[in-house]
Amino acid sequence: MSRIVYVNGDYVPEEEAKISVFDRGFLFADGVYEVSSVIDGRLIDNGAHLERLKRSLDELGMDAPCPLEEVEAVQMEMLKRNDLTEGLLYLQVTRGAADRDFNYPKGAKPSLVMFTQAKKVTENPAADKGLSVITLPDLRWHRRDIKTVQLLYPSMCKEEAKAKGADDAWLVEDGQVTEGTSNNAWIVLEDGTLVTRQLSNDILHGITRRAVMRFARERQIKVEERPFTVEEAQDAKEAFVTSASAFVMPVVSIDGAPIGDGKVGETVKGLRKIYLDEAGRL
Ligand code: PDD
């Protein structure tokens, strides 16, 4: 059975979902997106995702395709029409279709597209095994706080990681880790303190990062927001990444150097459990 995809007001089978070749998302990567997880038929922390969508649009001077409450109503309808109880919901807004011109077109109508991906997100074998990551220079643009669809560099990095037998890459700038290719990077110090880079234009302001930070602080776990080097990460007790699709995912080696004993540690295991236990309330 084919999925039902949403394209600018229509719910259509995926084979029939079409977008203009003049769409600026296609020509200029002039678009933003959000990925929300679905557990038990419910979108996780979706209010925060919609808030960030609004921020991305504002930063790019892009009109919303419709009020956010309507975007949310379409999201709900998509879960219903696809009978999605567990998986991901992807949504993308672009500036719309117009004749090719670097300047923003006047009067173009923003496009809104959504699709679902049914998959097990709560049970992930990678969470038991942990990820191996390599480090690569962060060659992305300097507005990484805007969740744009220009994902070619992260794709190149994931390909390089795969070619080297690793699961993913952490990006490094001026000797410090910025974030993962599609997730925020964290380390756990010997005393249990969590460290993740502070918010700025250098990283995406992760929704999962924010929730994990709150859950940790509520449990008197110390969180430091500051940059860290690859060496500090390799010497850390544990390491992990956070994202809407992976939640809390352990990292067990960086550039071939095992973190701690190279196995998934208790802190990260605990944080993943806390996140999944609390997810129903986000
Ligand atoms: N990626 N940093 C980057 C560069 C990301 O692409 C993502 C998310 C994150 C984590 O943000 P959040 O916790 O809000 O998902 C950090 C999504 C999942 C993706 O592109 O599929």
Side-chain angles (χ1 to χ4, degrees):
M1 204 180 79
S2 97
R3 281 179 290 189
I4 297 298
V5 169
Y6 177 86
V7 188
N8 292 326
D10 296 321
Y11 296 88
V12 293
E14 62 179 271
E15 310 73 44
E16 291 167 31
K18 302 237 164 30
I19 202 98
S20 167
V21 295
F22 293 102
D23 190 274
R24 288 181 59 92
F26 180 59
L27 296 177
F28 291 99
D30 189 0
V32 298
Y33 75 108
E34 284 295 331
V35 177
S36 303
S37 267
V38 178
I39 302 176
D40 294 332
R42 204 183 144 266
L43 289 159
I44 305 305
D45 221 352
N46 193 49
H49 283 282
L50 290 176
E51 246 174 62
R52 185 174 61 190
L53 174 69
K54 173 81 172 63
R55 181 180 182 279
S56 293
L57 292 169
D58 287 348
E59 290 298 314
L60 294 173
M62 198 184 291
D63 290 335
C66 57
L68 288 186
E69 305 78 72
E70 274 176 47
V71 174
E72 194 176 14
V74 175
Q75 288 181 302
M76 299 306 168
E77 187 62 25
M78 281 292 285
L79 300 194
K80 210 160 104 195
R81 289 194 187 220
N82 287 284
D83 203 11
L84 189 74
T85 51
E86 187 161 340
L88 302 172
L89 177 70
Y90 177 93
L91 84 80
Q92 178 171 325
V93 177
T94 73
R95 208 180 297 272
D99 196 16
R100 186 173 184 274
D101 183 353
F102 282 80
N103 284 112
Y104 298 164
K106 287 201 174 52
K109 202 176 163 332
S111 295
L112 174 60
V113 167
M114 289 189 207
F115 59 82
T116 54
Q117 292 178 299
K119 62 179 197 175
K120 277 264 163 227
V121 284
T122 53
E123 288 158 36
N124 187 337
D128 300 321
K129 201 167 155 271
L131 305 176
S132 61
V133 303
I134 58 167
T135 62
L136 290 170
D138 196 340
L139 302 181
R140 297 173 301 165
W141 76 332
H142 287 273
R143 289 306 307 274
R144 303 160 193 156
D145 56 311
I146 309 174
K147 198 164 170 61
T148 74
V149 297
Q150 37 173 343
L151 296 176
L152 188 53
Y153 189 65
S155 287
M156 288 168 72
C157 293
K158 282 193 194 277
E159 278 298 306
E160 188 164 343
K162 196 171 163 189
K164 290 184 170 152
D167 299 304
D168 204 348
W170 277 12
L171 305 173
V172 179
E173 188 170 59
D174 300 330
Q176 317 267 12
V177 173
T178 51
E179 59 184 334
T181 55
S182 63
N183 42 56
N184 290 113
W186 301 65
I187 56 173
V188 184
L189 305 183
E190 282 304 327
D191 70 355
T193 302
L194 311 181
V195 182
T196 192
R197 197 178 173 106
Q198 74 279 10
L199 297 182
S200 72
N201 294 353
D202 297 335
I203 61 166
L204 185 75
H205 301 185
I207 302 303
T208 320
R209 173 191 179 280
R210 187 167 86 178
V212 168
M213 197 170 284
R214 175 153 67 84
F215 296 150
R217 286 184 171 142
E218 283 169 3
R219 286 161 181 79
Q220 277 69 51
I221 299 170
K222 235 177 98 195
V223 183
E224 277 178 27
E225 290 181 83
R226 61 163 175 85
F228 55 85
T229 63
V230 176
E231 295 69 37
E232 187 180 8
Q234 287 172 325
D235 289 342
K237 192 165 158 230
E238 299 178 39
F240 63 102
V241 293
T242 54
S243 77
S245 50
F247 310 127
V248 174
M249 188 57 67
V251 168
V252 293
S253 79
I254 303 174
D255 288 335
I259 311 302
D261 62 3
K263 298 204 177 74
V264 176
E266 291 308 315
T267 310
V268 178
K269 225 183 265 177
L271 287 170
R272 182 174 174 86
K273 183 171 180 332
I274 291 167
Y275 186 88
L276 288 172
D277 287 348
E278 297 269 4
R281 271 166 275 153
L282 283 171

